Amino acid sequence: MNSARRLALACCTVIAALAAPATAGALVQIDSAPLNIFLGAAGSQQARFDGATSGEFFSPSSDEPGAGFMMLVDVGETNADHKFANNFTPVDAGPVTGSGTQADPFSQVTFFSTVANPEQTADTILIRQTTTYVAGTSFYNLRWDITNQGDESTVIRPQLYADLYVSGSDSGVGFFESAPQAVVGGINQNAGASGGIVQITPWAKFEEDSFSIVSSHAQDRTGPGLDNSITGELVDNGVAVQFHDTPLAPGQTATFETAWRFTRFEGLAVDPLESNKPVGDVHTVRVTAQGNAGAPAAGVPIRYSISGVNPTDAEQSTVTGLDGSAEIRWRGRNPGTDTLSLTADLNGDGVAAGNEPQRTATVEFLAPQVARTAVVEPVSGAVFVRLPPGASPASYGLDAKSAQTTPGTPRGFIPLTGTATLPVRTIVNTNDGKIRLKSAAALSGSRTQAANFTFGTFQIIQKRARRPITEMVLKGGTFRGCPRTRARRSSGVDADDSQRRRRRTSRSRVRRLWGDGRGRFRTRGRYSSATVRGTKWIVEDRCGGTLTRLPRRPRNSRVDVRDNVRRKTIRLRAGRSYLARPRAARRR
C-alpha cells in the first residue's frame, strides 16, 4: 500500500454540504405515530411528526433525508497533497417489518458500501443499517454493523450528524445531558422542543454548534474531529457524535448503536401541589415532564430549590427517568410552610428562562401543641374522626359533607383522608383502619412523639405539663350484655350454670385498642390504664375487667399498668398480661 495513504471520507448522500441528495424513489418510510421516519438509500434519515408541516432535520419541507451516518476510513495517515472523498454506494434496502409494539418494533434494514482506503476502486466495506421504532414513542434507534470484506486492514471512525430543524426552527440552543443516558442536541426554546442523539455505544466525542462548524469538524481528516463542546448561543443548530476509532481487520465486523430522541414539552405535572405533613416527616413530590401529546418525557433536567422554614442551601437538580418522572424529597425539621420551585431546564444553562416550564408546590409541616392539638395521619384502611363540640370541621381541613357520600361512616363521624391537625378531645375511630398520631413531647420547642393505633375507637387527651403524656381513652361498645356485678343468690344446678355463663360473658370483649410507638403514651380503659415509653401493647375492656397485654417481642418491652380499683401500679414485661377487675368481681 502506498505510504501516501490519505484519511478518506465516506459520508451519507443527503447532507447538502457534502453530497447530492438521493432520489425520491429510494426512500423507505416507517409510517407510524407520532413519528414518521424517512430512510434514504445510504444511511440517511428524516423525521416528521404527524400533522407537522416540517421535518426535524433540514431541509424541513422535504421528506428527503436530512441527517445521517458518515464515516472516515483509513484513519491515522495523512498527506496534504492527496485529497480523497467518496460517497456511499447504495446496495439494497429492505421493507419495513414488525407490528410497532415494544416486543415487535417496526424495523427496516438498508445496506450500503464504501472503500477501505483511498487506493481502492472497489468497495470492500459493507454497512448494514437497522432502524427500529416503537409506535407511540418519540425516538427511534439506529444500529450499524460494519464489515471489512476486503483483504487489507483499515481503521474506521463512524459518526452521526445532522442540521437540526427542531419543531419548525433552523435555530436553537445546544444542550447536553449526562444521565440517565448521555444526550446531545439542540432546543427550540420558543416551541419548548428539542432533538438530540442518545448514547448507546459509548462516544469518543460530541459537538453542538453552528452546522457549518460542526460539519467542518466532522470532516476533519487530519485533526481530532469533534471537540466535546456545546454552544449556549442561538445558532443554525448542528449536532454530531463521533465513535471511537476502530481497527477493522479483513472479515471483521464492528457494531455501533445510537438513537434520535425528540421531545415536545407541554409542561410539568406536580403531585401533590399542596400538602400537610407532620413536622419531622419526609415529604415527597413527584414531578413529571410532559412531552409529546402529554406523554412523559425522559431525561429532562429539573432544577429546583426549597424556600420557607426548611430551605435548601443552594439550587439543586435531578433528571427525569424513563417514565418521565423524578421524585424530590426533604425532611420538615421545622414547623411551617415550605415552597418547592421547579424548572425544566431545557437548555441546561441553569437559568429559568421564560419559555421553560416552571411550577411550584407547597407543604405545611404541622407541629402539635401541648394540650391543644395532635397530628393524625391515616396509614391504612378507613379512619373516621369526631371533633369536640363547637369545633368547625372546615377549620381543620375536614369535609363534613363527605360523611354523607362515604359508605360505612359511623354516625357523627367524618372520614379522615389525609394528614390533619386535630384538637385534643377528638374521638378517632380506627376499628377498620390504622393511624399515626403525633403529639407534643415537651412544653417548649417542637419535639414530638409518635405512635400507631388500630382496631379501636378512642379519645385523644393531653394535659399541660413539662413532659406531657398523651392519653387514648377507649370509647364505643356497650356493656349492656355484661352480667351484673352482684349476682342473685341461687342454689344447685341453676347456680352452677349461672356462674359458668357469667364467667364466659366476663371474657367477652367490649372494646380494645392496639398501640405501637415510642414516647409518653397512655391507654385508659374502664378499670386500668397502661403507660408506655416505646413498645407494642393492647388494652381491652371486657365485661370482667380491663386487660393489658404485651406481645413476646420485643423482649425489652415494659408497660406500667395502673389498676384504678386496687390503686396499685404493676409493671408488665414482654409476653405478660394483667386483668384489672371491678371491685364486686373481686369479692366473689
Side-chain angles (χ1 to χ4, degrees), residues 411-441:
R411 185 177 179 180
F413 283 79
I414 300 172
L416 183 68
T417 57
T419 303
T421 298
L422 303 177
V424 166
R425 307 197 70 80
T426 292
I427 296 176
V428 183
N429 181 319
T430 64
N431 293 349
D432 298 307
K434 179 190 287 188
I435 64 147
R436 183 166 180 80
L437 186 149
K438 282 195 173 185
S439 61

PDB file of all heavy atoms in Angstrom, residues 411-441:
ATOM      1  N   ARG A 411     -72.113   7.131  62.514  1.00  0.00           N
ATOM      2  CA  ARG A 411     -72.930   8.321  62.766  1.00  0.00           C
ATOM      3  C   ARG A 411     -72.162   9.327  63.613  1.00  0.00           C
ATOM      4  O   ARG A 411     -71.570   8.982  64.642  1.00  0.00           O
ATOM      5  CB  ARG A 411     -74.219   7.923  63.475  1.00  0.00           C
ATOM      6  CG  ARG A 411     -75.185   9.079  63.676  1.00  0.00           C
ATOM      7  CD  ARG A 411     -76.471   8.601  64.304  1.00  0.00           C
ATOM      8  NE  ARG A 411     -77.399   9.699  64.518  1.00  0.00           N
ATOM      9  CZ  ARG A 411     -78.608   9.568  65.061  1.00  0.00           C
ATOM     10  NH1 ARG A 411     -79.025   8.344  65.437  1.00  0.00           N
ATOM     11  NH2 ARG A 411     -79.383  10.621  65.217  1.00  0.00           N
ATOM     12  N   GLY A 412     -72.166  10.579  63.169  1.00  0.00           N
ATOM     13  CA  GLY A 412     -71.494  11.650  63.888  1.00  0.00           C
ATOM     14  C   GLY A 412     -70.017  11.793  63.570  1.00  0.00           C
ATOM     15  O   GLY A 412     -69.357  12.698  64.091  1.00  0.00           O
ATOM     16  N   PHE A 413     -69.476  10.914  62.698  1.00  0.00           N
ATOM     17  CA  PHE A 413     -68.054  10.959  62.359  1.00  0.00           C
ATOM     18  C   PHE A 413     -67.851  11.506  60.951  1.00  0.00           C
ATOM     19  O   PHE A 413     -68.784  11.558  60.142  1.00  0.00           O
ATOM     20  CB  PHE A 413     -67.436   9.554  62.461  1.00  0.00           C
ATOM     21  CG  PHE A 413     -67.171   9.099  63.858  1.00  0.00           C
ATOM     22  CD1 PHE A 413     -68.205   8.606  64.646  1.00  0.00           C
ATOM     23  CD2 PHE A 413     -65.906   9.174  64.398  1.00  0.00           C
ATOM     24  CE1 PHE A 413     -67.966   8.176  65.938  1.00  0.00           C
ATOM     25  CE2 PHE A 413     -65.652   8.746  65.690  1.00  0.00           C
ATOM     26  CZ  PHE A 413     -66.686   8.245  66.466  1.00  0.00           C
ATOM     27  N   ILE A 414     -66.595  11.897  60.670  1.00  0.00           N
ATOM     28  CA  ILE A 414     -66.187  12.418  59.363  1.00  0.00           C
ATOM     29  C   ILE A 414     -65.011  11.588  58.870  1.00  0.00           C
ATOM     30  O   ILE A 414     -64.075  11.319  59.647  1.00  0.00           O
ATOM     31  CB  ILE A 414     -65.773  13.901  59.463  1.00  0.00           C
ATOM     32  CG1 ILE A 414     -66.934  14.750  59.971  1.00  0.00           C
ATOM     33  CG2 ILE A 414     -65.289  14.426  58.106  1.00  0.00           C
ATOM     34  CD1 ILE A 414     -66.547  16.182  60.287  1.00  0.00           C
ATOM     35  N   PRO A 415     -65.005  11.170  57.614  1.00  0.00           N
ATOM     36  CA  PRO A 415     -63.842  10.412  57.101  1.00  0.00           C
ATOM     37  C   PRO A 415     -62.563  11.244  57.149  1.00  0.00           C
ATOM     38  O   PRO A 415     -62.572  12.431  56.811  1.00  0.00           O
ATOM     39  CB  PRO A 415     -64.236  10.094  55.653  1.00  0.00           C
ATOM     40  CG  PRO A 415     -65.727  10.205  55.624  1.00  0.00           C
ATOM     41  CD  PRO A 415     -66.079  11.273  56.612  1.00  0.00           C
ATOM     42  N   LEU A 416     -61.469  10.609  57.561  1.00  0.00           N
ATOM     43  CA  LEU A 416     -60.154  11.257  57.569  1.00  0.00           C
ATOM     44  C   LEU A 416     -59.372  10.711  56.387  1.00  0.00           C
ATOM     45  O   LEU A 416     -58.984   9.539  56.379  1.00  0.00           O
ATOM     46  CB  LEU A 416     -59.426  10.973  58.874  1.00  0.00           C
ATOM     47  CG  LEU A 416     -58.056  11.644  59.050  1.00  0.00           C
ATOM     48  CD1 LEU A 416     -58.215  13.151  59.184  1.00  0.00           C
ATOM     49  CD2 LEU A 416     -57.328  11.080  60.262  1.00  0.00           C
ATOM     50  N   THR A 417     -59.126  11.545  55.381  1.00  0.00           N
ATOM     51  CA  THR A 417     -58.485  11.089  54.149  1.00  0.00           C
ATOM     52  C   THR A 417     -57.038  11.538  54.013  1.00  0.00           C
ATOM     53  O   THR A 417     -56.333  11.088  53.108  1.00  0.00           O
ATOM     54  CB  THR A 417     -59.266  11.594  52.933  1.00  0.00           C
ATOM     55  OG1 THR A 417     -59.351  13.028  52.982  1.00  0.00           O
ATOM     56  CG2 THR A 417     -60.680  11.014  52.923  1.00  0.00           C
ATOM     57  N   GLY A 418     -56.585  12.424  54.873  1.00  0.00           N
ATOM     58  CA  GLY A 418     -55.215  12.907  54.803  1.00  0.00           C
ATOM     59  C   GLY A 418     -54.750  13.397  56.153  1.00  0.00           C
ATOM     60  O   GLY A 418     -55.500  13.417  57.134  1.00  0.00           O
ATOM     61  N   THR A 419     -53.510  13.807  56.217  1.00  0.00           N
ATOM     62  CA  THR A 419     -52.948  14.305  57.471  1.00  0.00           C
ATOM     63  C   THR A 419     -53.710  15.546  57.936  1.00  0.00           C
ATOM     64  O   THR A 419     -53.999  16.439  57.147  1.00  0.00           O
ATOM     65  CB  THR A 419     -51.470  14.652  57.290  1.00  0.00           C
ATOM     66  OG1 THR A 419     -50.779  13.497  56.816  1.00  0.00           O
ATOM     67  CG2 THR A 419     -50.847  15.103  58.596  1.00  0.00           C
ATOM     68  N   ALA A 420     -54.017  15.590  59.219  1.00  0.00           N
ATOM     69  CA  ALA A 420     -54.765  16.730  59.761  1.00  0.00           C
ATOM     70  C   ALA A 420     -54.285  17.009  61.177  1.00  0.00           C
ATOM     71  O   ALA A 420     -53.931  16.095  61.927  1.00  0.00           O
ATOM     72  CB  ALA A 420     -56.265  16.459  59.751  1.00  0.00           C
ATOM     73  N   THR A 421     -54.273  18.290  61.517  1.00  0.00           N
ATOM     74  CA  THR A 421     -54.027  18.701  62.888  1.00  0.00           C
ATOM     75  C   THR A 421     -55.375  18.852  63.576  1.00  0.00           C
ATOM     76  O   THR A 421     -56.193  19.694  63.177  1.00  0.00           O
ATOM     77  CB  THR A 421     -53.253  20.031  62.929  1.00  0.00           C
ATOM     78  OG1 THR A 421     -51.983  19.858  62.296  1.00  0.00           O
ATOM     79  CG2 THR A 421     -53.019  20.472  64.359  1.00  0.00           C
ATOM     80  N   LEU A 422     -55.627  18.036  64.581  1.00  0.00           N
ATOM     81  CA  LEU A 422     -56.940  17.973  65.216  1.00  0.00           C
ATOM     82  C   LEU A 422     -56.851  18.437  66.666  1.00  0.00           C
ATOM     83  O   LEU A 422     -55.809  18.273  67.318  1.00  0.00           O
ATOM     84  CB  LEU A 422     -57.485  16.548  65.160  1.00  0.00           C
ATOM     85  CG  LEU A 422     -57.609  15.940  63.755  1.00  0.00           C
ATOM     86  CD1 LEU A 422     -58.095  14.506  63.848  1.00  0.00           C
ATOM     87  CD2 LEU A 422     -58.548  16.772  62.895  1.00  0.00           C
ATOM     88  N   PRO A 423     -57.945  18.961  67.182  1.00  0.00           N
ATOM     89  CA  PRO A 423     -57.912  19.419  68.578  1.00  0.00           C
ATOM     90  C   PRO A 423     -57.932  18.242  69.547  1.00  0.00           C
ATOM     91  O   PRO A 423     -58.469  17.171  69.256  1.00  0.00           O
ATOM     92  CB  PRO A 423     -59.199  20.254  68.693  1.00  0.00           C
ATOM     93  CG  PRO A 423     -60.107  19.680  67.651  1.00  0.00           C
ATOM     94  CD  PRO A 423     -59.225  19.248  66.526  1.00  0.00           C
ATOM     95  N   VAL A 424     -57.306  18.442  70.698  1.00  0.00           N
ATOM     96  CA  VAL A 424     -57.397  17.481  71.777  1.00  0.00           C
ATOM     97  C   VAL A 424     -58.871  17.298  72.141  1.00  0.00           C
ATOM     98  O   VAL A 424     -59.668  18.223  72.026  1.00  0.00           O
ATOM     99  CB  VAL A 424     -56.572  17.971  72.978  1.00  0.00           C
ATOM    100  CG1 VAL A 424     -56.895  17.190  74.233  1.00  0.00           C
ATOM    101  CG2 VAL A 424     -55.082  17.866  72.660  1.00  0.00           C
ATOM    102  N   ARG A 425     -59.230  16.091  72.525  1.00  0.00           N
ATOM    103  CA  ARG A 425     -60.581  15.633  72.838  1.00  0.00           C
ATOM    104  C   ARG A 425     -61.323  15.161  71.585  1.00  0.00           C
ATOM    105  O   ARG A 425     -62.495  14.808  71.647  1.00  0.00           O
ATOM    106  CB  ARG A 425     -61.415  16.676  73.604  1.00  0.00           C
ATOM    107  CG  ARG A 425     -60.736  17.212  74.863  1.00  0.00           C
ATOM    108  CD  ARG A 425     -61.709  17.908  75.791  1.00  0.00           C
ATOM    109  NE  ARG A 425     -62.634  16.964  76.422  1.00  0.00           N
ATOM    110  CZ  ARG A 425     -62.340  16.207  77.483  1.00  0.00           C
ATOM    111  NH1 ARG A 425     -61.132  16.270  78.043  1.00  0.00           N
ATOM    112  NH2 ARG A 425     -63.238  15.385  78.003  1.00  0.00           N
ATOM    113  N   THR A 426     -60.621  15.115  70.449  1.00  0.00           N
ATOM    114  CA  THR A 426     -61.185  14.487  69.254  1.00  0.00           C
ATOM    115  C   THR A 426     -61.289  12.984  69.473  1.00  0.00           C
ATOM    116  O   THR A 426     -60.401  12.371  70.066  1.00  0.00           O
ATOM    117  CB  THR A 426     -60.312  14.782  68.030  1.00  0.00           C
ATOM    118  OG1 THR A 426     -60.392  16.175  67.725  1.00  0.00           O
ATOM    119  CG2 THR A 426     -60.772  13.987  66.820  1.00  0.00           C
ATOM    120  N   ILE A 427     -62.370  12.381  68.990  1.00  0.00           N
ATOM    121  CA  ILE A 427     -62.543  10.937  69.048  1.00  0.00           C
ATOM    122  C   ILE A 427     -62.174  10.358  67.692  1.00  0.00           C
ATOM    123  O   ILE A 427     -62.636  10.843  66.655  1.00  0.00           O
ATOM    124  CB  ILE A 427     -63.991  10.563  69.434  1.00  0.00           C
ATOM    125  CG1 ILE A 427     -64.298  11.067  70.846  1.00  0.00           C
ATOM    126  CG2 ILE A 427     -64.196   9.044  69.358  1.00  0.00           C
ATOM    127  CD1 ILE A 427     -65.731  10.831  71.281  1.00  0.00           C
ATOM    128  N   VAL A 428     -61.336   9.331  67.688  1.00  0.00           N
ATOM    129  CA  VAL A 428     -60.832   8.722  66.458  1.00  0.00           C
ATOM    130  C   VAL A 428     -61.307   7.279  66.382  1.00  0.00           C
ATOM    131  O   VAL A 428     -61.152   6.514  67.349  1.00  0.00           O
ATOM    132  CB  VAL A 428     -59.291   8.767  66.410  1.00  0.00           C
ATOM    133  CG1 VAL A 428     -58.788   8.188  65.091  1.00  0.00           C
ATOM    134  CG2 VAL A 428     -58.794  10.196  66.588  1.00  0.00           C
ATOM    135  N   ASN A 429     -61.881   6.907  65.248  1.00  0.00           N
ATOM    136  CA  ASN A 429     -62.364   5.548  65.016  1.00  0.00           C
ATOM    137  C   ASN A 429     -61.408   4.835  64.073  1.00  0.00           C
ATOM    138  O   ASN A 429     -61.325   5.158  62.888  1.00  0.00           O
ATOM    139  CB  ASN A 429     -63.772   5.589  64.418  1.00  0.00           C
ATOM    140  CG  ASN A 429     -64.359   4.205  64.181  1.00  0.00           C
ATOM    141  OD1 ASN A 429     -63.674   3.302  63.729  1.00  0.00           O
ATOM    142  ND2 ASN A 429     -65.644   4.047  64.491  1.00  0.00           N
ATOM    143  N   THR A 430     -60.668   3.860  64.615  1.00  0.00           N
ATOM    144  CA  THR A 430     -59.752   3.046  63.796  1.00  0.00           C
ATOM    145  C   THR A 430     -60.188   1.583  63.814  1.00  0.00           C
ATOM    146  O   THR A 430     -59.338   0.683  63.701  1.00  0.00           O
ATOM    147  CB  THR A 430     -58.303   3.178  64.298  1.00  0.00           C
ATOM    148  OG1 THR A 430     -58.228   2.640  65.626  1.00  0.00           O
ATOM    149  CG2 THR A 430     -57.843   4.617  64.296  1.00  0.00           C
ATOM    150  N   ASN A 431     -61.483   1.329  63.972  1.00  0.00           N
ATOM    151  CA  ASN A 431     -61.963  -0.052  64.022  1.00  0.00           C
ATOM    152  C   ASN A 431     -61.550  -0.835  62.778  1.00  0.00           C
ATOM    153  O   ASN A 431     -61.272  -2.029  62.847  1.00  0.00           O
ATOM    154  CB  ASN A 431     -63.489  -0.083  64.161  1.00  0.00           C
ATOM    155  CG  ASN A 431     -63.949   0.460  65.499  1.00  0.00           C
ATOM    156  OD1 ASN A 431     -63.138   0.666  66.406  1.00  0.00           O
ATOM    157  ND2 ASN A 431     -65.240   0.703  65.650  1.00  0.00           N
ATOM    158  N   ASP A 432     -61.536  -0.157  61.631  1.00  0.00           N
ATOM    159  CA  ASP A 432     -61.174  -0.797  60.365  1.00  0.00           C
ATOM    160  C   ASP A 432     -60.002  -0.089  59.691  1.00  0.00           C
ATOM    161  O   ASP A 432     -59.884  -0.106  58.464  1.00  0.00           O
ATOM    162  CB  ASP A 432     -62.374  -0.820  59.414  1.00  0.00           C
ATOM    163  CG  ASP A 432     -63.530  -1.622  59.974  1.00  0.00           C
ATOM    164  OD1 ASP A 432     -63.295  -2.786  60.347  1.00  0.00           O
ATOM    165  OD2 ASP A 432     -64.657  -1.094  60.055  1.00  0.00           O
ATOM    166  N   GLY A 433     -59.152   0.542  60.463  1.00  0.00           N
ATOM    167  CA  GLY A 433     -58.030   1.269  59.882  1.00  0.00           C
ATOM    168  C   GLY A 433     -56.903   1.439  60.875  1.00  0.00           C
ATOM    169  O   GLY A 433     -56.917   0.883  61.980  1.00  0.00           O
ATOM    170  N   LYS A 434     -55.920   2.210  60.481  1.00  0.00           N
ATOM    171  CA  LYS A 434     -54.765   2.487  61.329  1.00  0.00           C
ATOM    172  C   LYS A 434     -54.357   3.936  61.136  1.00  0.00           C
ATOM    173  O   LYS A 434     -54.412   4.462  60.026  1.00  0.00           O
ATOM    174  CB  LYS A 434     -53.592   1.572  60.975  1.00  0.00           C
ATOM    175  CG  LYS A 434     -52.331   1.821  61.803  1.00  0.00           C
ATOM    176  CD  LYS A 434     -51.131   1.063  61.269  1.00  0.00           C
ATOM    177  CE  LYS A 434     -51.219  -0.412  61.559  1.00  0.00           C
ATOM    178  NZ  LYS A 434     -49.962  -1.123  61.207  1.00  0.00           N
ATOM    179  N   ILE A 435     -53.930   4.571  62.219  1.00  0.00           N
ATOM    180  CA  ILE A 435     -53.443   5.942  62.139  1.00  0.00           C
ATOM    181  C   ILE A 435     -52.058   6.044  62.761  1.00  0.00           C
ATOM    182  O   ILE A 435     -51.645   5.189  63.547  1.00  0.00           O
ATOM    183  CB  ILE A 435     -54.376   6.943  62.852  1.00  0.00           C
ATOM    184  CG1 ILE A 435     -54.413   6.633  64.347  1.00  0.00           C
ATOM    185  CG2 ILE A 435     -55.742   6.968  62.222  1.00  0.00           C
ATOM    186  CD1 ILE A 435     -54.574   7.814  65.215  1.00  0.00           C
ATOM    187  N   ARG A 436     -51.354   7.107  62.388  1.00  0.00           N
ATOM    188  CA  ARG A 436     -50.120   7.507  63.064  1.00  0.00           C
ATOM    189  C   ARG A 436     -50.417   8.820  63.756  1.00  0.00           C
ATOM    190  O   ARG A 436     -50.813   9.796  63.104  1.00  0.00           O
ATOM    191  CB  ARG A 436     -48.971   7.652  62.084  1.00  0.00           C
ATOM    192  CG  ARG A 436     -47.636   7.993  62.757  1.00  0.00           C
ATOM    193  CD  ARG A 436     -46.483   7.801  61.795  1.00  0.00           C
ATOM    194  NE  ARG A 436     -45.198   8.117  62.391  1.00  0.00           N
ATOM    195  CZ  ARG A 436     -44.508   7.299  63.188  1.00  0.00           C
ATOM    196  NH1 ARG A 436     -45.016   6.118  63.508  1.00  0.00           N
ATOM    197  NH2 ARG A 436     -43.333   7.641  63.670  1.00  0.00           N
ATOM    198  N   LEU A 437     -50.251   8.825  65.063  1.00  0.00           N
ATOM    199  CA  LEU A 437     -50.569  10.005  65.866  1.00  0.00           C
ATOM    200  C   LEU A 437     -49.283  10.630  66.375  1.00  0.00           C
ATOM    201  O   LEU A 437     -48.435   9.935  66.943  1.00  0.00           O
ATOM    202  CB  LEU A 437     -51.484   9.622  67.031  1.00  0.00           C
ATOM    203  CG  LEU A 437     -52.026  10.758  67.903  1.00  0.00           C
ATOM    204  CD1 LEU A 437     -53.401  10.383  68.447  1.00  0.00           C
ATOM    205  CD2 LEU A 437     -51.091  11.078  69.080  1.00  0.00           C
ATOM    206  N   LYS A 438     -49.153  11.925  66.140  1.00  0.00           N
ATOM    207  CA  LYS A 438     -48.017  12.674  66.668  1.00  0.00           C
ATOM    208  C   LYS A 438     -48.529  13.726  67.634  1.00  0.00           C
ATOM    209  O   LYS A 438     -49.480  14.461  67.324  1.00  0.00           O
ATOM    210  CB  LYS A 438     -47.233  13.351  65.545  1.00  0.00           C
ATOM    211  CG  LYS A 438     -46.314  12.424  64.783  1.00  0.00           C
ATOM    212  CD  LYS A 438     -45.312  13.182  63.943  1.00  0.00           C
ATOM    213  CE  LYS A 438     -44.294  12.241  63.315  1.00  0.00           C
ATOM    214  NZ  LYS A 438     -43.241  12.967  62.577  1.00  0.00           N
ATOM    215  N   SER A 439     -47.868  13.795  68.770  1.00  0.00           N
ATOM    216  CA  SER A 439     -48.243  14.779  69.779  1.00  0.00           C
ATOM    217  C   SER A 439     -47.005  15.474  70.303  1.00  0.00           C
ATOM    218  O   SER A 439     -45.876  15.006  70.101  1.00  0.00           O
ATOM    219  CB  SER A 439     -48.998  14.102  70.931  1.00  0.00           C
ATOM    220  OG  SER A 439     -48.171  13.126  71.545  1.00  0.00           O
ATOM    221  N   ALA A 440     -47.208  16.598  70.973  1.00  0.00           N
ATOM    222  CA  ALA A 440     -46.088  17.351  71.531  1.00  0.00           C
ATOM    223  C   ALA A 440     -45.427  16.532  72.635  1.00  0.00           C
ATOM    224  O   ALA A 440     -46.105  15.924  73.471  1.00  0.00           O
ATOM    225  CB  ALA A 440     -46.574  18.688  72.058  1.00  0.00           C
ATOM    226  N   ALA A 441     -44.098  16.531  72.644  1.00  0.00           N
ATOM    227  CA  ALA A 441     -43.352  15.756  73.633  1.00  0.00           C
ATOM    228  C   ALA A 441     -42.766  16.627  74.729  1.00  0.00           C
ATOM    229  O   ALA A 441     -42.202  16.101  75.694  1.00  0.00           O
ATOM    230  CB  ALA A 441     -42.236  14.972  72.963  1.00  0.00           C
TER     231      ALA A 441
END
